[in-house]
Amino acid sequence: MFDALTDKLQQTFKRMRNKGRLTEADVKEALREVRLALLEADVNFKVVKEFLSRVEARAVGQDILQSLTPDQGVIKIVRDELVQLMGSHVERVRMASNPPTVIYLVGLQGAGKTTASAKLARMLRHQGRQPLLVAADIYRPAAIDQLKVLGEKIQVPVVTEAGKTPVQLAELGMAMSKRMAKDVIIIDTAGRLHVDDALMGELEEMNRRVPAHEMLLVVDAMTGQDAVRVASAFKERLPLTGVIMTKLDGDARGGAALSIREVTELPIKLVGSGEKIEDLEPFAPDRMAQRILGMGDIMTLIEKAEAAMDREDTQVLAEKITKADFTLDDFRAMIEQVKKLGPLSKVMEMMPGMGQMAKLKNKVDDRSMVRVEAILNSMTNKERQRPDIIDGSRRLRIARGSGTTVMEVNRLIKQFDEVKKMMKQMKGKKGRGRMPRMPFPPLG
Amino acid sequence: MAGFFERLKQGMSKTRTGLGDRIRSLVGGRQWSDSLYDELEEILYEADLGSQAIEVILAQLKDSVRQRHPERAEEVVALLHEVMVAMLESNPNPYQLPDQRPAVWLMVGVNGTGKTTTAGKLAQRMKHQGHSVILGAADTFRAAAPEQLLEWGRRAQVDVVHQAEGADPAAVAFDTVRAAMARRLDLAIIDTAGRLHNKTHLMQELSKIVRVVGRECLDAPHQVWLVIDATTGQNGLEQARVFQEAVRVTGILLTKLDGTAKGGIAFSIHQALHLPIAFVGVGEKLDDLMVFDADQYVRAILGMEDRELD
């Protein structure tokens, strides 16, 4: 996410690390680098200024200059201030005590309001709510169709009616929610090219008739210096309660995320982290700061694993592993589970220490996984159950069928054999809790 | 060209009040002193110009200032305009089609930049110029994207080749080019799904579209327009770089220039990659899509009136 910024900060501090002790001039030098990194990351100019003066005030002339690991001290200050900048704790979407909860999504064109509306509806449905979507973007051609299709996919009803104004549609949504016994109404509003009076007036009127409990501004993470201005302009006219930051799965450095909270005091509540409908996550400022500093984000990974993996499947798999009757079918199931976590490169990004290995990350793209899967899928059931029957001609067929080479098929089978051997050993040592490193999946 | 300037100025009125007024209030009537460079730098940063471009601009500005010894700050701003325009050399007419028909244009870019809308506008514009045009809805990922393009097709009275959601985009592109050839049309404009440039498999999908189109039709695609949202920050540079590597981008189409207080990313991209900026979109209307003009563009960014330069 914040790869480039992380790299820059790490380079800077590495240089400081090599020097041992820090002087006041060193701190200033490092902060100049931080300034450039932040500016290149699209952090708002004014925010950068204030941020640096805060860090400097804390870093210069403090005991950390006397300490043996001053760079750690500076990193800690930068990290603390980054967390501070992004809001110090996780902010959730609040539900009204008296349902239905009304949630508006507003923002500029192309920010991703419609997609975010559907993602939010899906998330709330998974939390046991009964959401209803209102398609109130009557201006962009096919925006309503888009929401309808998405609503069908996530099994959330979409309210709309040709010829109605956005205000009427909001009211219709409210009426329908009562009739359909829905407890959350998510209203997807129209985007505009720039903040104009007509748009604001319309939103104000909608909010007057159907008051919002949450009014979330949808902002593209790739936005530059303008993000803060847009957020401020919307906030002047509308009772915004928070921000959804979209497209954070790109490599934009996301300075907008840093800036908006600071300037508008609006918390970032959710982030869009992928193209799939389930790719919407709570924004965790402390984790994000750790990530910026290359400290990894193991918590997100663990949470994702828990949410994505099928508990029963995992248990069956674990049993098989302990009993050592692990077949290629099980291996295929394992890959399916890992795939649910998202692209491997993204998973690796979250591992502590992995963020630095940018080069490695490019190599571990998901193609290697796809190839292994293709090989497995090109085998017959019998072959997967009893890999020992896979002879030369079968290997050739599998290679052809999967578009790989016999060498790759051989490697996979060999590695599988090794894992099986290891599992047998584990079975023997059962109870000692030692888990050997598995050479699976074969990558690169 | 007055029309262009006027509309760009209207479209970029926020830019003018933001950047132009700041420059004016900063330098207005003041004697030039070198301490003002820092302020200029700050203003350029706020315009999303990016550190590399700013470094080059300021270095060249300092050279000019040393040679010409301007006394008043306004003269330095005029020099700044000169330097910035020189960095954005002008380009041949992007509407020009090659002799060989059909010509194939491809719209690419990250999500939400306005590819579909711009594809529709380009189709309409080319149709008005007397060309026969066909649109291809190769965005098979976003729900209802073909419907959006179909609406544009209706407005422009141009046929739209499309398939079901989830179809292979290369197949749609193939069909579009085949249809254009069979009907002996002048131009096929293919809209593609928005994709983040750091997703390898999606970039490969795009390369496949280019390969397939190139097999059917010599030298196709003739133009690959990278659509960039003018509100984009420094990430626009990386977008341009990766798209160029994957599909040989031929020009930049800068959209939503009226929605931004800057548009400075154009500098970064042009300076780093030498990609021409072919079009700018300054509004929602058809006429708001215009051919890029460096001189007018920089004037509008700096909030300079014509008389200030004469």
Side-chain angles (χ1 to χ4, degrees), chain B residues 7-37:
Chain B
R7 203 141 50 231
L8 195 57
K9 253 172 44 182
Q10 280 164 19
M12 294 178 69
S13 56
K14 277 178 68 199
T15 309
R16 290 198 312 130
T17 50
L19 194 53
D21 283 0
R22 268 195 71 182
I23 289 190
R24 261 192 295 274
S25 70
L26 175 68
V27 303
R30 280 169 75 174
Q31 289 280 310
W32 178 255
S33 92
D34 286 355
S35 67
L36 290 174
Y37 283 125

PDB file of all heavy atoms in Angstrom, chain B residues 7-37:
ATOM      1  N   ARG B   7     -12.833  28.263 -22.354  1.00  0.00           N
ATOM      2  CA  ARG B   7     -13.474  27.135 -21.702  1.00  0.00           C
ATOM      3  C   ARG B   7     -12.552  26.463 -20.690  1.00  0.00           C
ATOM      4  O   ARG B   7     -12.962  26.056 -19.627  1.00  0.00           O
ATOM      5  CB  ARG B   7     -13.963  26.127 -22.730  1.00  0.00           C
ATOM      6  CG  ARG B   7     -15.054  25.312 -22.131  1.00  0.00           C
ATOM      7  CD  ARG B   7     -16.197  24.963 -22.997  1.00  0.00           C
ATOM      8  NE  ARG B   7     -15.726  24.407 -24.222  1.00  0.00           N
ATOM      9  CZ  ARG B   7     -16.127  24.843 -25.396  1.00  0.00           C
ATOM     10  NH1 ARG B   7     -16.986  25.806 -25.472  1.00  0.00           N
ATOM     11  NH2 ARG B   7     -15.688  24.288 -26.473  1.00  0.00           N
ATOM     12  N   LEU B   8     -11.296  26.397 -21.062  1.00  0.00           N
ATOM     13  CA  LEU B   8     -10.343  25.799 -20.137  1.00  0.00           C
ATOM     14  C   LEU B   8     -10.269  26.646 -18.872  1.00  0.00           C
ATOM     15  O   LEU B   8     -10.219  26.143 -17.759  1.00  0.00           O
ATOM     16  CB  LEU B   8      -8.962  25.703 -20.792  1.00  0.00           C
ATOM     17  CG  LEU B   8      -7.948  24.793 -20.094  1.00  0.00           C
ATOM     18  CD1 LEU B   8      -8.505  23.385 -19.967  1.00  0.00           C
ATOM     19  CD2 LEU B   8      -6.647  24.757 -20.873  1.00  0.00           C
ATOM     20  N   LYS B   9     -10.317  27.955 -19.085  1.00  0.00           N
ATOM     21  CA  LYS B   9     -10.265  28.855 -17.933  1.00  0.00           C
ATOM     22  C   LYS B   9     -11.496  28.679 -17.055  1.00  0.00           C
ATOM     23  O   LYS B   9     -11.395  28.627 -15.837  1.00  0.00           O
ATOM     24  CB  LYS B   9     -10.148  30.306 -18.406  1.00  0.00           C
ATOM     25  CG  LYS B   9      -8.757  30.849 -18.172  1.00  0.00           C
ATOM     26  CD  LYS B   9      -8.523  32.216 -18.785  1.00  0.00           C
ATOM     27  CE  LYS B   9      -9.650  33.191 -18.580  1.00  0.00           C
ATOM     28  NZ  LYS B   9      -9.371  34.477 -19.245  1.00  0.00           N
ATOM     29  N   GLN B  10     -12.648  28.581 -17.742  1.00  0.00           N
ATOM     30  CA  GLN B  10     -13.871  28.350 -16.958  1.00  0.00           C
ATOM     31  C   GLN B  10     -13.753  27.032 -16.215  1.00  0.00           C
ATOM     32  O   GLN B  10     -14.008  26.938 -15.026  1.00  0.00           O
ATOM     33  CB  GLN B  10     -15.098  28.265 -17.881  1.00  0.00           C
ATOM     34  CG  GLN B  10     -15.615  29.600 -18.325  1.00  0.00           C
ATOM     35  CD  GLN B  10     -16.544  29.440 -19.512  1.00  0.00           C
ATOM     36  OE1 GLN B  10     -17.056  28.348 -19.754  1.00  0.00           O
ATOM     37  NE2 GLN B  10     -16.744  30.511 -20.235  1.00  0.00           N
ATOM     38  N   GLY B  11     -13.352  25.999 -16.983  1.00  0.00           N
ATOM     39  CA  GLY B  11     -13.238  24.678 -16.400  1.00  0.00           C
ATOM     40  C   GLY B  11     -12.247  24.666 -15.266  1.00  0.00           C
ATOM     41  O   GLY B  11     -12.425  23.994 -14.267  1.00  0.00           O
ATOM     42  N   MET B  12     -11.194  25.413 -15.441  1.00  0.00           N
ATOM     43  CA  MET B  12     -10.144  25.390 -14.439  1.00  0.00           C
ATOM     44  C   MET B  12     -10.222  26.591 -13.499  1.00  0.00           C
ATOM     45  O   MET B  12      -9.229  26.984 -12.916  1.00  0.00           O
ATOM     46  CB  MET B  12      -8.779  25.360 -15.126  1.00  0.00           C
ATOM     47  CG  MET B  12      -8.560  24.079 -15.895  1.00  0.00           C
ATOM     48  SD  MET B  12      -6.993  24.047 -16.744  1.00  0.00           S
ATOM     49  CE  MET B  12      -5.867  23.933 -15.365  1.00  0.00           C
ATOM     50  N   SER B  13     -11.413  27.132 -13.350  1.00  0.00           N
ATOM     51  CA  SER B  13     -11.518  28.335 -12.527  1.00  0.00           C
ATOM     52  C   SER B  13     -10.999  28.085 -11.118  1.00  0.00           C
ATOM     53  O   SER B  13     -10.419  28.951 -10.487  1.00  0.00           O
ATOM     54  CB  SER B  13     -12.965  28.815 -12.469  1.00  0.00           C
ATOM     55  OG  SER B  13     -13.791  27.775 -11.988  1.00  0.00           O
ATOM     56  N   LYS B  14     -11.188  26.870 -10.653  1.00  0.00           N
ATOM     57  CA  LYS B  14     -10.677  26.566  -9.315  1.00  0.00           C
ATOM     58  C   LYS B  14      -9.161  26.610  -9.287  1.00  0.00           C
ATOM     59  O   LYS B  14      -8.550  27.033  -8.333  1.00  0.00           O
ATOM     60  CB  LYS B  14     -11.157  25.192  -8.864  1.00  0.00           C
ATOM     61  CG  LYS B  14     -12.539  25.238  -8.282  1.00  0.00           C
ATOM     62  CD  LYS B  14     -13.003  23.852  -7.890  1.00  0.00           C
ATOM     63  CE  LYS B  14     -12.233  23.302  -6.732  1.00  0.00           C
ATOM     64  NZ  LYS B  14     -12.364  21.857  -6.650  1.00  0.00           N
ATOM     65  N   THR B  15      -8.570  26.170 -10.404  1.00  0.00           N
ATOM     66  CA  THR B  15      -7.128  26.230 -10.493  1.00  0.00           C
ATOM     67  C   THR B  15      -6.664  27.672 -10.419  1.00  0.00           C
ATOM     68  O   THR B  15      -5.726  28.004  -9.726  1.00  0.00           O
ATOM     69  CB  THR B  15      -6.647  25.640 -11.829  1.00  0.00           C
ATOM     70  OG1 THR B  15      -7.240  24.368 -11.975  1.00  0.00           O
ATOM     71  CG2 THR B  15      -5.156  25.549 -11.877  1.00  0.00           C
ATOM     72  N   ARG B  16      -7.387  28.518 -11.151  1.00  0.00           N
ATOM     73  CA  ARG B  16      -6.956  29.908 -11.204  1.00  0.00           C
ATOM     74  C   ARG B  16      -7.067  30.563  -9.840  1.00  0.00           C
ATOM     75  O   ARG B  16      -6.165  31.218  -9.382  1.00  0.00           O
ATOM     76  CB  ARG B  16      -7.793  30.678 -12.224  1.00  0.00           C
ATOM     77  CG  ARG B  16      -7.489  30.249 -13.662  1.00  0.00           C
ATOM     78  CD  ARG B  16      -7.984  31.279 -14.622  1.00  0.00           C
ATOM     79  NE  ARG B  16      -9.351  31.646 -14.271  1.00  0.00           N
ATOM     80  CZ  ARG B  16      -9.769  32.870 -14.125  1.00  0.00           C
ATOM     81  NH1 ARG B  16      -8.926  33.859 -14.279  1.00  0.00           N
ATOM     82  NH2 ARG B  16     -11.009  33.105 -13.828  1.00  0.00           N
ATOM     83  N   THR B  17      -8.213  30.362  -9.205  1.00  0.00           N
ATOM     84  CA  THR B  17      -8.349  31.020  -7.921  1.00  0.00           C
ATOM     85  C   THR B  17      -7.386  30.408  -6.915  1.00  0.00           C
ATOM     86  O   THR B  17      -6.869  31.100  -6.064  1.00  0.00           O
ATOM     87  CB  THR B  17      -9.790  30.926  -7.390  1.00  0.00           C
ATOM     88  OG1 THR B  17     -10.205  29.580  -7.465  1.00  0.00           O
ATOM     89  CG2 THR B  17     -10.707  31.807  -8.183  1.00  0.00           C
ATOM     90  N   GLY B  18      -7.140  29.104  -7.076  1.00  0.00           N
ATOM     91  CA  GLY B  18      -6.207  28.487  -6.145  1.00  0.00           C
ATOM     92  C   GLY B  18      -4.794  28.951  -6.399  1.00  0.00           C
ATOM     93  O   GLY B  18      -4.220  29.726  -5.644  1.00  0.00           O
ATOM     94  N   LEU B  19      -4.281  28.536  -7.559  1.00  0.00           N
ATOM     95  CA  LEU B  19      -2.877  28.739  -7.837  1.00  0.00           C
ATOM     96  C   LEU B  19      -2.590  30.148  -8.324  1.00  0.00           C
ATOM     97  O   LEU B  19      -1.673  30.808  -7.858  1.00  0.00           O
ATOM     98  CB  LEU B  19      -2.459  27.712  -8.896  1.00  0.00           C
ATOM     99  CG  LEU B  19      -0.978  27.504  -9.120  1.00  0.00           C
ATOM    100  CD1 LEU B  19      -0.283  27.200  -7.816  1.00  0.00           C
ATOM    101  CD2 LEU B  19      -0.802  26.373 -10.100  1.00  0.00           C
ATOM    102  N   GLY B  20      -3.415  30.614  -9.277  1.00  0.00           N
ATOM    103  CA  GLY B  20      -3.169  31.922  -9.877  1.00  0.00           C
ATOM    104  C   GLY B  20      -3.182  33.033  -8.844  1.00  0.00           C
ATOM    105  O   GLY B  20      -2.265  33.844  -8.775  1.00  0.00           O
ATOM    106  N   ASP B  21      -4.219  33.028  -8.027  1.00  0.00           N
ATOM    107  CA  ASP B  21      -4.318  34.084  -7.021  1.00  0.00           C
ATOM    108  C   ASP B  21      -3.175  34.009  -6.019  1.00  0.00           C
ATOM    109  O   ASP B  21      -2.668  35.024  -5.570  1.00  0.00           O
ATOM    110  CB  ASP B  21      -5.661  33.992  -6.277  1.00  0.00           C
ATOM    111  CG  ASP B  21      -6.785  34.551  -7.131  1.00  0.00           C
ATOM    112  OD1 ASP B  21      -6.481  34.984  -8.258  1.00  0.00           O
ATOM    113  OD2 ASP B  21      -7.931  34.553  -6.674  1.00  0.00           O
ATOM    114  N   ARG B  22      -2.802  32.809  -5.712  1.00  0.00           N
ATOM    115  CA  ARG B  22      -1.701  32.689  -4.753  1.00  0.00           C
ATOM    116  C   ARG B  22      -0.424  33.257  -5.335  1.00  0.00           C
ATOM    117  O   ARG B  22       0.314  33.969  -4.669  1.00  0.00           O
ATOM    118  CB  ARG B  22      -1.496  31.229  -4.356  1.00  0.00           C
ATOM    119  CG  ARG B  22      -2.289  30.860  -3.126  1.00  0.00           C
ATOM    120  CD  ARG B  22      -1.833  29.575  -2.526  1.00  0.00           C
ATOM    121  NE  ARG B  22      -0.528  29.695  -1.895  1.00  0.00           N
ATOM    122  CZ  ARG B  22       0.093  28.677  -1.332  1.00  0.00           C
ATOM    123  NH1 ARG B  22      -0.461  27.493  -1.355  1.00  0.00           N
ATOM    124  NH2 ARG B  22       1.251  28.832  -0.757  1.00  0.00           N
ATOM    125  N   ILE B  23      -0.194  32.928  -6.606  1.00  0.00           N
ATOM    126  CA  ILE B  23       1.006  33.473  -7.235  1.00  0.00           C
ATOM    127  C   ILE B  23       0.917  34.988  -7.300  1.00  0.00           C
ATOM    128  O   ILE B  23       1.866  35.690  -6.973  1.00  0.00           O
ATOM    129  CB  ILE B  23       1.213  32.880  -8.654  1.00  0.00           C
ATOM    130  CG1 ILE B  23       1.637  31.424  -8.527  1.00  0.00           C
ATOM    131  CG2 ILE B  23       2.234  33.679  -9.441  1.00  0.00           C
ATOM    132  CD1 ILE B  23       2.103  30.786  -9.800  1.00  0.00           C
ATOM    133  N   ARG B  24      -0.273  35.476  -7.694  1.00  0.00           N
ATOM    134  CA  ARG B  24      -0.424  36.927  -7.796  1.00  0.00           C
ATOM    135  C   ARG B  24      -0.221  37.622  -6.456  1.00  0.00           C
ATOM    136  O   ARG B  24       0.477  38.619  -6.357  1.00  0.00           O
ATOM    137  CB  ARG B  24      -1.797  37.288  -8.368  1.00  0.00           C
ATOM    138  CG  ARG B  24      -1.736  37.607  -9.854  1.00  0.00           C
ATOM    139  CD  ARG B  24      -3.021  38.235 -10.339  1.00  0.00           C
ATOM    140  NE  ARG B  24      -4.133  37.303 -10.226  1.00  0.00           N
ATOM    141  CZ  ARG B  24      -4.426  36.408 -11.168  1.00  0.00           C
ATOM    142  NH1 ARG B  24      -3.706  36.337 -12.262  1.00  0.00           N
ATOM    143  NH2 ARG B  24      -5.429  35.580 -11.013  1.00  0.00           N
ATOM    144  N   SER B  25      -0.852  37.050  -5.427  1.00  0.00           N
ATOM    145  CA  SER B  25      -0.725  37.723  -4.131  1.00  0.00           C
ATOM    146  C   SER B  25       0.702  37.578  -3.592  1.00  0.00           C
ATOM    147  O   SER B  25       1.200  38.410  -2.846  1.00  0.00           O
ATOM    148  CB  SER B  25      -1.731  37.144  -3.130  1.00  0.00           C
ATOM    149  OG  SER B  25      -1.356  35.837  -2.772  1.00  0.00           O
ATOM    150  N   LEU B  26       1.339  36.533  -4.050  1.00  0.00           N
ATOM    151  CA  LEU B  26       2.710  36.285  -3.597  1.00  0.00           C
ATOM    152  C   LEU B  26       3.693  37.272  -4.222  1.00  0.00           C
ATOM    153  O   LEU B  26       4.536  37.845  -3.550  1.00  0.00           O
ATOM    154  CB  LEU B  26       3.090  34.845  -3.977  1.00  0.00           C
ATOM    155  CG  LEU B  26       4.512  34.404  -3.716  1.00  0.00           C
ATOM    156  CD1 LEU B  26       4.757  34.319  -2.228  1.00  0.00           C
ATOM    157  CD2 LEU B  26       4.748  33.052  -4.363  1.00  0.00           C
ATOM    158  N   VAL B  27       3.542  37.423  -5.552  1.00  0.00           N
ATOM    159  CA  VAL B  27       4.563  38.190  -6.252  1.00  0.00           C
ATOM    160  C   VAL B  27       4.112  39.598  -6.614  1.00  0.00           C
ATOM    161  O   VAL B  27       4.926  40.418  -7.013  1.00  0.00           O
ATOM    162  CB  VAL B  27       5.009  37.468  -7.543  1.00  0.00           C
ATOM    163  CG1 VAL B  27       5.509  36.087  -7.217  1.00  0.00           C
ATOM    164  CG2 VAL B  27       3.875  37.407  -8.552  1.00  0.00           C
ATOM    165  N   GLY B  28       2.783  39.838  -6.510  1.00  0.00           N
ATOM    166  CA  GLY B  28       2.226  41.086  -7.018  1.00  0.00           C
ATOM    167  C   GLY B  28       3.017  42.320  -6.613  1.00  0.00           C
ATOM    168  O   GLY B  28       3.109  42.642  -5.432  1.00  0.00           O
ATOM    169  N   GLY B  29       3.578  42.981  -7.593  1.00  0.00           N
ATOM    170  CA  GLY B  29       4.258  44.248  -7.362  1.00  0.00           C
ATOM    171  C   GLY B  29       5.544  44.143  -6.558  1.00  0.00           C
ATOM    172  O   GLY B  29       6.153  45.152  -6.228  1.00  0.00           O
ATOM    173  N   ARG B  30       5.941  42.895  -6.234  1.00  0.00           N
ATOM    174  CA  ARG B  30       7.140  42.794  -5.404  1.00  0.00           C
ATOM    175  C   ARG B  30       8.406  42.746  -6.238  1.00  0.00           C
ATOM    176  O   ARG B  30       8.408  42.332  -7.386  1.00  0.00           O
ATOM    177  CB  ARG B  30       7.068  41.530  -4.542  1.00  0.00           C
ATOM    178  CG  ARG B  30       6.195  41.713  -3.322  1.00  0.00           C
ATOM    179  CD  ARG B  30       5.918  40.410  -2.646  1.00  0.00           C
ATOM    180  NE  ARG B  30       7.070  39.918  -1.905  1.00  0.00           N
ATOM    181  CZ  ARG B  30       6.991  38.823  -1.142  1.00  0.00           C
ATOM    182  NH1 ARG B  30       5.866  38.138  -1.046  1.00  0.00           N
ATOM    183  NH2 ARG B  30       8.049  38.407  -0.482  1.00  0.00           N
ATOM    184  N   GLN B  31       9.468  43.176  -5.626  1.00  0.00           N
ATOM    185  CA  GLN B  31      10.784  42.989  -6.217  1.00  0.00           C
ATOM    186  C   GLN B  31      11.113  41.509  -6.143  1.00  0.00           C
ATOM    187  O   GLN B  31      10.769  40.843  -5.173  1.00  0.00           O
ATOM    188  CB  GLN B  31      11.835  43.764  -5.404  1.00  0.00           C
ATOM    189  CG  GLN B  31      11.747  45.257  -5.562  1.00  0.00           C
ATOM    190  CD  GLN B  31      12.413  45.716  -6.843  1.00  0.00           C
ATOM    191  OE1 GLN B  31      13.540  45.337  -7.119  1.00  0.00           O
ATOM    192  NE2 GLN B  31      11.712  46.524  -7.615  1.00  0.00           N
ATOM    193  N   TRP B  32      11.756  40.995  -7.202  1.00  0.00           N
ATOM    194  CA  TRP B  32      12.113  39.578  -7.147  1.00  0.00           C
ATOM    195  C   TRP B  32      13.277  39.388  -6.190  1.00  0.00           C
ATOM    196  O   TRP B  32      14.251  40.128  -6.201  1.00  0.00           O
ATOM    197  CB  TRP B  32      12.488  39.047  -8.529  1.00  0.00           C
ATOM    198  CG  TRP B  32      12.897  37.606  -8.414  1.00  0.00           C
ATOM    199  CD1 TRP B  32      14.155  37.099  -8.474  1.00  0.00           C
ATOM    200  CD2 TRP B  32      12.022  36.510  -8.160  1.00  0.00           C
ATOM    201  NE1 TRP B  32      14.114  35.743  -8.285  1.00  0.00           N
ATOM    202  CE2 TRP B  32      12.822  35.352  -8.089  1.00  0.00           C
ATOM    203  CE3 TRP B  32      10.640  36.392  -7.986  1.00  0.00           C
ATOM    204  CZ2 TRP B  32      12.288  34.089  -7.843  1.00  0.00           C
ATOM    205  CZ3 TRP B  32      10.110  35.138  -7.747  1.00  0.00           C
ATOM    206  CH2 TRP B  32      10.933  33.997  -7.676  1.00  0.00           C
ATOM    207  N   SER B  33      13.139  38.418  -5.337  1.00  0.00           N
ATOM    208  CA  SER B  33      14.293  38.029  -4.539  1.00  0.00           C
ATOM    209  C   SER B  33      14.320  36.520  -4.480  1.00  0.00           C
ATOM    210  O   SER B  33      13.284  35.866  -4.583  1.00  0.00           O
ATOM    211  CB  SER B  33      14.203  38.621  -3.134  1.00  0.00           C
ATOM    212  OG  SER B  33      13.580  37.723  -2.269  1.00  0.00           O
ATOM    213  N   ASP B  34      15.516  35.987  -4.349  1.00  0.00           N
ATOM    214  CA  ASP B  34      15.668  34.540  -4.441  1.00  0.00           C
ATOM    215  C   ASP B  34      14.895  33.776  -3.362  1.00  0.00           C
ATOM    216  O   ASP B  34      14.622  32.591  -3.499  1.00  0.00           O
ATOM    217  CB  ASP B  34      17.150  34.152  -4.394  1.00  0.00           C
ATOM    218  CG  ASP B  34      17.844  34.478  -5.715  1.00  0.00           C
ATOM    219  OD1 ASP B  34      17.120  34.901  -6.648  1.00  0.00           O
ATOM    220  OD2 ASP B  34      19.061  34.302  -5.813  1.00  0.00           O
ATOM    221  N   SER B  35      14.547  34.485  -2.299  1.00  0.00           N
ATOM    222  CA  SER B  35      13.812  33.796  -1.238  1.00  0.00           C
ATOM    223  C   SER B  35      12.422  33.381  -1.710  1.00  0.00           C
ATOM    224  O   SER B  35      11.780  32.524  -1.113  1.00  0.00           O
ATOM    225  CB  SER B  35      13.689  34.704  -0.016  1.00  0.00           C
ATOM    226  OG  SER B  35      12.865  35.804  -0.331  1.00  0.00           O
ATOM    227  N   LEU B  36      11.977  33.988  -2.830  1.00  0.00           N
ATOM    228  CA  LEU B  36      10.642  33.649  -3.327  1.00  0.00           C
ATOM    229  C   LEU B  36      10.593  32.280  -4.006  1.00  0.00           C
ATOM    230  O   LEU B  36       9.522  31.736  -4.236  1.00  0.00           O
ATOM    231  CB  LEU B  36      10.149  34.730  -4.298  1.00  0.00           C
ATOM    232  CG  LEU B  36       9.816  36.076  -3.634  1.00  0.00           C
ATOM    233  CD1 LEU B  36       9.474  37.122  -4.683  1.00  0.00           C
ATOM    234  CD2 LEU B  36       8.659  35.928  -2.660  1.00  0.00           C
ATOM    235  N   TYR B  37      11.771  31.716  -4.319  1.00  0.00           N
ATOM    236  CA  TYR B  37      11.785  30.383  -4.931  1.00  0.00           C
ATOM    237  C   TYR B  37      11.089  29.345  -4.043  1.00  0.00           C
ATOM    238  O   TYR B  37      10.373  28.474  -4.524  1.00  0.00           O
ATOM    239  CB  TYR B  37      13.221  29.919  -5.207  1.00  0.00           C
ATOM    240  CG  TYR B  37      13.852  30.556  -6.422  1.00  0.00           C
ATOM    241  CD1 TYR B  37      15.055  31.212  -6.337  1.00  0.00           C
ATOM    242  CD2 TYR B  37      13.224  30.462  -7.664  1.00  0.00           C
ATOM    243  CE1 TYR B  37      15.651  31.794  -7.452  1.00  0.00           C
ATOM    244  CE2 TYR B  37      13.792  31.039  -8.785  1.00  0.00           C
ATOM    245  CZ  TYR B  37      15.008  31.708  -8.673  1.00  0.00           C
ATOM    246  OH  TYR B  37      15.568  32.266  -9.774  1.00  0.00           O
TER     247      TYR B  37
END
